[in-house]
Amino acid sequence: MIRVYRSGQRSCEVHAGEAAAWVLPPDAVWIDLLEPTVEEDRVVERALGLSIPTRAEMAELEASSRLYRENGATYATADIIHHGDALIPEVDPVTFVLTKGPLVTIRYFDPKPFAMTLEKLDREPAVCGSGPDLFLHLMEAIIDRVSDVLSTNALKVEAVSNHVFAVRKTVRFEKLITKLGRAHIANARIEQSLSGLSRIFAFVALDDRLEHNKEHREHLRSLARDAQSLISHNQAVAASINFQLSAALGLINIEQSSIIKIFSVAAVAFLPPTLIASIYGMNFTHMPELSQAWGYPLAVGAMVISAILPLVWFKKKGWL
């Protein structure tokens, strides 16, 4: 799908006809390729005189494949968070191409920052009069969305922390560890997105369209600072997740040790009564106590006393 945002408009125009019939409007500020076909890629390439990276090329992780300049255009690919409200957010690449004319974006999913930017353009169409303006506003929306996802993830980790260290409360560690595992995956994906954005900000800062404009330079520096502060926050959340996992595993070990301790004490306490019962369960002919009236009460009393004495001893030693 080819979507075009033209200067002063409030929404994107969607090209609904044949790809070959598309013509680049002279006042285009943004060309948004959403799940483009091969034909759509080719017609945009012909219109701009630039190459459009394929989906496979966008997925490459080498910096040389994600950040480069070609024919006067700056190419930057970033992993963008989407489905941020799901249990585990997802990341997928989006390519931004800064040209002498419009900004070009290539994507195969619909992340929320793009919708946020379009809403902003609908309210204030004059804020984006050029491709660099639009690029910076898109990056600002992306940073804001990552910040929201990071805050949500941090609150989830804090909730797990409150549950793990709850007083007099039954803790289901299996569910808590599952939640921490999801938070850890989300944390890693947020880190992946923010690291890529930081590299982009450093790379595009050398682009003439941004470097020679004071307002653009300051906006880009502000975004770079925001990305670095979010990385630091995300690393603090990662440290908290690791602590919670270690604490949960430690508490599980303590709980298991307590259970084993109870069984060990019970085994020791019932060992003497078992010995007495075993002796009087023997089928020997000459056992004088068996013929006496006091034999049975004596055996029962001996078993009770022999069970109580070890418990008293354990209590005195502080083992119970």
Side-chain angles (χ1 to χ4, degrees):
M1 179 190 299
I2 302 177
R3 308 195 320 165
V4 179
Y5 180 80
R6 302 172 69 173
S7 180
Q9 284 191 333
R10 292 183 175 272
S11 61
C12 283
E13 293 179 354
V14 179
H15 179 68
E18 292 292 331
W22 182 79
V23 178
L24 175 65
D27 58 347
V29 179
W30 177 20
I31 301 173
D32 182 30
L33 297 176
L34 177 59
E35 298 186 19
T37 63
V38 176
E39 292 75 14
E40 289 171 340
D41 280 346
R42 288 174 181 170
V43 73
V44 173
E45 286 178 341
R46 286 196 298 269
L48 296 175
L50 299 170
S51 63
I52 299 297
T54 64
R55 190 169 192 172
E57 291 171 340
M58 290 168 60
E60 293 181 5
L61 296 178
E62 295 86 352
S64 59
S65 301
R66 293 199 150 204
L67 304 170
Y68 61 95
R69 291 186 178 88
E70 185 178 284
N71 295 331
T74 298
Y75 292 75
T77 300
D79 290 318
I80 307 300
I81 292 280
H82 61 107
H83 293 113
D85 298 326
L87 290 175
I88 301 179
E90 299 179 21
V91 288
D92 278 298
V94 175
T95 296
F96 301 85
V97 186
L98 283 166
T99 73
K100 295 177 182 178
L103 170 73
V104 181
T105 56
I106 306 101
R107 56 197 176 100
Y108 291 86
F109 63 104
D110 194 14
K112 195 171 182 177
F114 280 74
M116 293 165 58
T117 302
L118 288 173
E119 289 175 4
K120 184 174 184 178
L121 292 174
D122 182 53
R123 296 191 303 268
E124 305 173 75
V127 299
C128 293
S130 65
D133 285 334
L134 199 47
F135 171 77
L136 292 172
H137 281 88
L138 272 171
M139 286 297 171
E140 184 176 354
I142 290 169
I143 288 290
D144 288 343
R145 182 56 181 161
V146 175
S147 177
D148 292 341
V149 176
L150 174 55
S151 298
T152 301
N153 199 45
L155 289 174
K156 290 178 181 178
V157 174
E158 185 178 354
V160 172
S161 173
N162 294 335
H163 203 129
V164 168
F165 297 105
V167 179
R168 295 180 181 178
K169 191 172 184 179
T170 302
V171 178
R172 300 187 65 181
F173 288 105
E174 182 179 355
K175 286 190 174 182
L176 294 183
I177 291 176
T178 300
K179 289 180 180 179
L180 287 173
R182 290 171 181 159
H184 178 75
I185 295 172
N187 181 269
R189 291 179 177 177
I190 292 170
E191 181 82 15
Q192 177 184 345
S193 180
L194 288 171
S195 298
L197 290 171
S198 293
R199 288 193 295 269
I200 283 179
F201 295 149
F203 185 76
V204 300
L206 302 176
D207 187 279
D208 293 341
R209 290 168 284 270
L210 296 171
E211 186 180 19
H212 297 156
N213 186 304
K214 182 178 180 181
E215 185 178 347
H216 290 165
R217 285 202 313 271
E218 291 301 320
H219 196 171
L220 194 60
R221 287 173 186 168
S222 175
L223 291 173
R225 287 192 296 268
D226 290 343
Q228 286 300 320
S229 66
L230 289 175
I231 288 174
S232 298
H233 186 192
N234 195 56
Q235 289 171 347
V237 174
S240 179
I241 291 172
N242 290 330
F243 172 73
Q244 302 304 332
L245 283 170
S246 299
L249 293 174
L251 290 172
I252 289 172
N253 289 332
I254 292 172
E255 191 175 87
Q256 290 177 340
S257 298
S258 299
I259 294 171
I260 293 172
K261 179 181 178 181
I262 291 171
F263 280 107
S264 299
V265 169
V268 172
F270 285 106
L271 184 60
T274 303
L275 176 62
I276 294 171
S278 299
I279 291 172
Y280 285 102
M282 297 177 183
N283 295 319
F284 291 115
T285 303
H286 300 289
M287 295 185 74
E289 297 89 348
L290 298 180
S291 61
Q292 301 297 324
W294 46 264
Y296 175 73
L298 176 64
V300 173
M303 286 188 284
V304 171
I305 293 171
S306 64
I308 292 174
L309 288 177
L311 295 176
V312 173
W313 175 258
F314 291 152
K315 186 70 176 178
K316 183 178 180 181
K317 288 292 186 179
W319 297 343
L320 290 177

